[in-house]
């Protein structure tokens, strides 16, 4: 499969690097309005390929995205001093209007993978601008928050994160919901597994894990300016599920008919991802508190998305 990436700053290039190392695509086409940057990233990443895969990595223009099965959009502008969140969103919506239409001109059957933040809102905007079905406009959403949740749980329980089945739902951001009540280890409910092995998830442990997930981005930004390796690997994970039609269950964002009583909102729940994009949603069974938190998160996102003029 040919996979395109539009916007190859830190996030887009990390996704390209992760995909090149895993040989997920036959060809990766890197597009950026900074052409020198795209050329440099393509050349640098292509030098990693001989060690591990056969992916062709090159810089290109929109025309070179013709026939791409997936295009990751990681383009965006950053907040100017004094600029409101809504003004920033409007400017990013303008970027998306141009980028999405140029992609669709050459690759009408594409699946769009949205990485630009705030990712849930940008996923809603990309869906509205493109006119594509929501199954083909996928935001990275809470894929990374879910990975952080699993890795912290795994560390506490001293097992592999791949054997922890737990999800972070709703917004990729402050209002996200850690779904403790339906998390499992293998086939055993998380809380009873933790008790059985003598490592109970006390309120203090849960609070620490919650903070570890929720405040991870802020901590990383504090130390190194921005986050990109984790999200790059998460984007590669979604692209792999599509390129190989794996039908993996991943927590990603997409405009959804109903999330906790909020209609047509872009937020994350676990979904089956395969060649057609999103093939099924799996709305988890939550306790009363988690349901209320997810409703709050989804309602906030819906109101914010509705406030962005298109
Ligand atoms: P991040 O950390 O989110 O990756 P960066 O600023 O490093 O942020 O990367 C964003 C990239 O998006 C930059 O390389 C920038 O040149 C690119 N970009 C911004 N607007 C557009 C656009 N309209 N078309 C293509 N690329 C764009």
């Amino acid at each position: 499969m040919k996979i395109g990436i539009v916007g190859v700053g830190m996030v887009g290039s990390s996704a390209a690097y992760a995909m090149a190392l895993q040989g997920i695509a036959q060809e990766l086409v890197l597009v950026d309005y900074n052409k020198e940057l795209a050329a440099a990233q393509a050349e640098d990443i292509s030098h990693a390929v001989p060690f591990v895969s056969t992916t062709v990595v090159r810089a290109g223009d929109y025309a070179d995205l013709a026939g791409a099965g997936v295009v990751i959009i990681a383009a965006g502008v950053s907040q100017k001093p004094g600029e409101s969140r809504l003004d920033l969103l409007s400017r990013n919506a303008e970027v998306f209007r141009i980028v999405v239409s140029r992609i669709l001109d050459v690759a009408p059957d594409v699946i769009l993978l949205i990485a630009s933040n705030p990712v849930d809102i940008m996923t809603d905007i990309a869906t509205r601008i493109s006119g594509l079905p929501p199954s083909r406009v996928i935001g990275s959403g809470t894929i990374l928050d879910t990975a952080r949740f699993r890795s912290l749980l795994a560390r506490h329980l001293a097992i592999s994160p791949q054997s922890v089945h737990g999800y972070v739902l709703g917004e990729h951001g402050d209002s996200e919901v850690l779904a403790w009540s339906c998390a499992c280890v293998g086939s055993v409910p998380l809380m009873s597994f933790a008790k059985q092995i003598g490592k109970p998830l006390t309120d203090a442990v849960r609070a620490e894990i919650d903070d570890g997930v929720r405040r991870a981005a802020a901590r990383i930004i504090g130390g190194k300016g921005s986050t990109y390796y984790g999200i790059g690997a998460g984007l590669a994970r979604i692209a792999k599920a599509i390129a190989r039609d794996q039908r993996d269950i991943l927590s990603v964002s997409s405009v959804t008919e109903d999330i906790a009583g909020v209609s047509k909102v872009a937020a994350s729940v676990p979904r089956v991802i395969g060649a057609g994009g999103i093939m099924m949603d799996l709305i988890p069974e939550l306790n009363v508190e988690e349901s209320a938190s997810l409703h709050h998160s989804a309602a906030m996102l819906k109101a914010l998305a509705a406030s962005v003029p298109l």
Side-chain angles (χ1 to χ4, degrees):
M1 179 184 276
K2 181 196 277 189
I3 296 181
I5 301 134
V6 178
V8 286
M10 296 314 294
V11 170
S13 63
S14 299
Y17 183 57
M19 290 191 290
L21 290 187
Q22 295 175 66
I24 289 167
Q26 265 88 50
E27 187 181 3
L28 290 173
V29 179
L30 277 46
V31 179
D32 198 293
Y33 75 1
N34 180 346
K35 287 189 189 318
E36 259 179 68
L37 175 69
Q41 297 282 31
E43 189 173 1
D44 192 10
I45 294 166
S46 72
H47 296 162
V49 166
F51 299 114
V52 279
S53 79
T54 55
T55 302
V56 174
V57 186
R58 65 186 179 105
D61 207 336
Y62 286 96
D64 299 300
L65 298 176
V70 172
V71 174
I72 295 173
I73 306 182
V77 289
S78 45
Q79 205 155 4
K80 290 179 186 163
E83 187 178 40
S84 74
R85 197 173 176 203
L86 201 57
D87 287 343
L88 173 70
L89 267 173
S90 305
R91 280 203 300 138
N92 266 325
E94 269 320 300
V95 170
F96 264 43
R97 195 187 290 285
I98 298 160
V99 166
V100 167
S101 78
R102 298 209 57 189
I103 295 168
L104 289 181
D105 280 348
V106 294
D109 299 323
V110 76
I111 292 173
L112 295 175
L113 255 185
I114 310 300
S116 309
N117 275 315
V119 70
D120 300 292
I121 307 299
M122 296 317 293
T123 301
D124 180 274
I125 289 172
T127 308
R128 284 194 272 161
I129 287 174
S130 66
L132 292 173
S135 58
R136 283 170 50 204
V137 186
I138 305 173
S140 53
T142 58
I143 190 158
L144 187 52
D145 314 83
T146 288
R148 288 170 178 155
F149 186 32
R150 290 176 180 200
S151 98
L152 293 176
L153 280 171
R155 208 175 293 169
H156 175 76
L157 301 169
I159 54 164
S160 91
Q162 285 84 12
S163 299
V164 179
H165 308 290
Y167 296 92
V168 178
L169 313 173
E171 181 196 16
H172 168 57
D174 294 344
S175 74
E176 66 193 18
V177 181
L178 277 61
W180 292 94
S181 68
C182 59
C184 281
V185 173
S187 61
V188 184
L190 170 68
M191 299 306 245
S192 35
F193 178 82
K195 217 180 280 171
Q196 272 172 41
I197 63 163
K199 295 184 174 178
L201 289 158
T202 58
D203 286 351
V205 172
R206 287 173 54 160
E208 200 177 312
I209 291 177
D210 184 283
D211 179 76
V213 173
R214 209 176 291 279
R215 301 214 15 89
R219 260 194 311 277
I220 296 166
I221 289 166
K224 60 182 265 189
S226 63
T227 77
Y228 36 89
Y229 293 132
I231 189 59
L235 289 161
R237 183 73 188 78
I238 304 168
K240 183 164 92 172
I242 297 168
R244 302 194 181 153
D245 193 19
Q246 291 192 171
R247 299 169 192 238
D248 294 312
I249 297 171
L250 302 171
S251 64
V252 291
S253 191
S254 175
V255 175
T256 308
E257 275 308 309
D258 182 284
I259 293 182
V262 180
S263 66
K264 300 206 184 324
V265 59
S268 288
V269 292
R271 307 177 198 268
V272 179
I273 310 288
I278 295 171
M279 314 191 73
M280 215 187 293
D281 299 335
L282 285 88
I283 307 290
E285 283 179 22
L286 302 173
N287 65 25
V288 175
E289 247 175 41
E290 292 163 347
S291 287
S293 301
L294 185 57
H295 174 85
H296 163 77
S297 183
M300 183 278 295
L301 286 172
K302 174 140 184 170
L304 185 56
S307 70
V308 183
L310 283 187

